[in-house]
Amino acid sequence: MSRLNPSRSALAPLATGLLLSVTAAGDLPVPPDDGVPSPAAAWDLQARVPASPAWNRWVETTHVAPPAFDLLQLRDPVDTSQETLRADLARWIYGSAPAGPGTPPTPAGRPGDDNSRRHLVLQMPEGVVPSNPIELEFDRAVTAPFRPRRIPPGSPGILLLCGPTDLSLREAAQRGWFAGRMRFTTTAVSEDTEAERPLPLHPAIATEAWRVRTVIDFLLNHEPGTPVRVVLAGQGFGGKVALWAAAQDRRVAAVLAVDSGPGGACPFRFWTEAEFGPGVEITTRAHPDWFTPPLRFFAGREDRLPVDAASLLACLAPRPVLVATALNNPEESAWAVEQAWRAAQPRFVREGVSDALGLDIRAGRGGTTTLDWSRWLDWTESRLVPDVPDTGKISGPLFPTREEWLAAGGKPLHPEDFPPRGPADLLVADHGGMIATPGAWRSQANALRVVVGKVLGPARETREPEESPPPATPAVHPAGPPAPWLVKEPLIIRPDLVGSVIHRTHIVGTTRRLPALVWLHPWSVPTGYEAAAFRREQPSRALTRSGSVVLTFDLIGCGTRVREGCDFTQRHPGASLLSHMVQDTRDAVSALARHPHVDPAQIFLLGGGLGGVVALHAAALDDRVAGVLDVAGFPPMRGETAGIPDPRLAGLADQPPLLPQLADFDGRETQLPYDFTDLLALIAPRPTLVVVPRVNRFATVDEVTAAVEAARPVYALMGNADALVLQVNDDYNHFTPDQIWCLCNDEAQR
């Protein structure tokens, strides 16, 4: 029997019951029937998020209460009117804009500038708030008032760059555009200054979008009906501004948004802290003035937002929109951006312009080149200017889908081939009798493992590592040690897979063998095991405080292996992503067992989110795993209501397609070949900790509790009922520092 030894292991709290206490889930405020919360209602997560002084003062001053989350649901970006989508985007994300000036702004040259004829400063009329002047730079000398006849014949139109970009005005002008750049002048409220300053009346994105529309008023100050195309382009914050300005102004003919991030083309709901992204909490704390203040209430509940990036893109149909991102950009998830593109694309198809919503996913961490902008302008011009051919140089969607899996020869499982089963059937033998002995359960477990293996499908062939240099990978993770007291070294898991071993320097040069943790990260596409946004030190570094050797590697489709995930269906027809993730983990256990400072009898798996799903599957199939710590990676597939389609099962089948073969069980979950209760039973009697947050879009506390308790009889049968521990955190779904510190003790200091 593999058990933790408290006298030898720094993970003793898991065995001794330090984490046995289960926090009862607090009752959420009961919302009024009309969805408008009472001013007395309190935000149940207030104590779980770091302080944001300016936002806290706003709450105290306005007495605005959280929305009734249970009454909110995502609007369909295809069937909802653009007017309704715009109103909801303003209400929930961007906030209100200043009132338009009654008279046009007054242009003037920039004082003391030798190129003053290329620079204009638009002075706002008296009484207009905000009164900050708008600074414009053009690729050529201009005078006011601007007239369309100043655009050269055959020009594609006006290209207005919203804020700084890597595209020079000269490069745009060489293509025939009348190019101008607008400088943002809104004074930002940052974490360093917000303690002294209140939040602005109008958020920064809404204000700058209003300024963009004011510039368009100035540029198009001519006789009505004169055809002039205005195209907005922006990068980063400017991409958000360009998209929101165009959503409100039909005079914008097209938009080019590059690396626009959350609040732009990257959905909040798919780039949360649970995916190692900033989510609403970190985004609104780092930039408290960018969005409407009530957005912060959706921290941890991003899935309850009525509108998101797909809604914003749908507001632009049928005009051409090109969304560009990068595979390893830590500011946004390319996979999340692609999901927004997929959700909004049917709106453009319905409008009769199936090719008007473009997606380009490039390599790298987010920088752009002249060649990139050339490709993007080629695409834009081909949609606006007659007889300009489509060069076809943008990538389009890259990440695998279930449809591609089927087209490549994937074989779905059929519900009618499996009898209905439930948690109560766990200890029922095939012949109908009850399993009452450990030996009988081992026989049943062997048969169940065969079923799990068949559902996962074929995995890669395992090969022993060769003594060769690690393969070249993109520069996603820092090469050196994360701290002076730590050692970070590569570990060749297979010739095509390299992980990183991190441990304390005090064991170097000794023969000491320590427990080991295999850290399995969430679905963090751009950065893999290193979180793009995290409140304290990175998990892979912090986990060494447990006194353990830590091995981590990028799951397929993430970090250094993101391209491998994009090409997965073509390289492995019929296979599932989860099967390869599980095999990678089992290979990692093999490699770690050979490490000179690792006790092979004490190799544990720790997974967060997707990593928890992988950890439970790997431990269920591999007895060498000494125990499992699963943090918010436990989505029971058999939901509370049988026969009703379950988004969690659909998510496992297609977001991303971890188990695409199970899609046909949506609505027929009782016939699933196995569920997470079965996985827990297969791990018995090894120590297993399941951590579930109270606020979790993937599963309710009651569902997880029922699934865990259904597996407990197997642990009892195997003589170790207390080895299965459920911890309910009064928090939302994110891997918190507290979940790391609970593993640490004095061992880390010796």
Side-chain angles (χ1 to χ4, degrees), residues 138-154:
F138 294 97
D139 67 278
R140 69 201 71 185
V142 296
T143 57
F146 178 82
R147 297 291 183 184
R149 62 177 176 270
R150 300 185 186 278
I151 299 178

Side-chain angles (χ1 to χ4, degrees), residues 625-647:
V625 175
V628 179
L629 299 91
D630 173 271
V631 180
F634 195 98
M637 294 184 287
R638 298 182 182 122
E640 294 178 332
T641 51
I644 298 178
D646 190 336

Side-chain angles (χ1 to χ4, degrees), residues 246-374:
Q248 301 172 88
D249 198 328
R250 301 289 297 184
R251 296 173 299 176
V252 177
V255 181
L256 205 171
V258 181
D259 303 335
S260 55
C266 181
F268 283 108
R269 64 194 348 96
F270 290 135
W271 189 221
T272 70
E273 293 173 82
E275 288 86 23
F276 272 7
V280 164
E281 192 284 307
I282 296 177
T283 299
T284 56
R285 179 161 47 89
H287 308 287
D289 63 323
W290 281 13
F291 304 96
T292 183
L295 176 62
R296 186 164 173 78
F297 285 128
F298 288 88
R301 289 189 172 99
E302 288 88 350
D303 61 304
R304 306 310 299 176
L305 274 167
V307 284
D308 212 332
S311 315
L312 177 61
L313 297 177
C315 286
L316 300 171
R319 294 168 286 169
V321 182
L322 178 59
V323 174
T325 184
L327 284 172
N328 296 114
N329 183 355
E331 301 298 324
E332 65 180 359
S333 164
W335 177 82
V337 173
E338 183 171 310
Q339 302 317 299
W341 178 89
R342 291 186 181 278
Q345 176 69 6
R347 181 68 178 245
F348 287 78
V349 173
R350 196 180 71 174
E351 298 277 356
V353 284
S354 59
D355 63 344
L357 182 59
L359 175 65
D360 187 59
I361 305 177
R362 65 197 187 280
R365 292 175 57 86
T368 62
T369 66
T370 300
L371 181 60
D372 290 328
W373 284 98
S374 178

Side-chain angles (χ1 to χ4, degrees), residues 344 457 530 677:
E530 295 278 352
T677 295

Side-chain angles (χ1 to χ4, degrees), residues 528-591:
Y529 66 79
E530 295 278 352
F534 204 68
R535 295 184 188 175
R536 297 185 187 173
E537 61 184 341
Q538 291 287 343
S540 58
R541 166 181 167 176
L543 287 169
T544 61
R545 297 178 184 273
S546 68
S548 306
V549 174
V550 176
L551 168 63
T552 188
F553 61 92
D554 288 336
L555 294 174
I556 186 170
C558 300
T560 57
R561 304 175 69 196
V562 62
R563 177 61 71 173
E564 186 181 344
C566 294
D567 301 335
F568 181 82
T569 303
Q570 291 74 32
R571 295 180 60 192
H572 308 285
S576 70
L577 278 170
L578 186 58
S579 69
H580 283 237
M581 292 176 179
V582 171
Q583 186 60 55
D584 290 346
T585 303
R586 299 180 69 180
D587 292 345
V589 171
S590 298

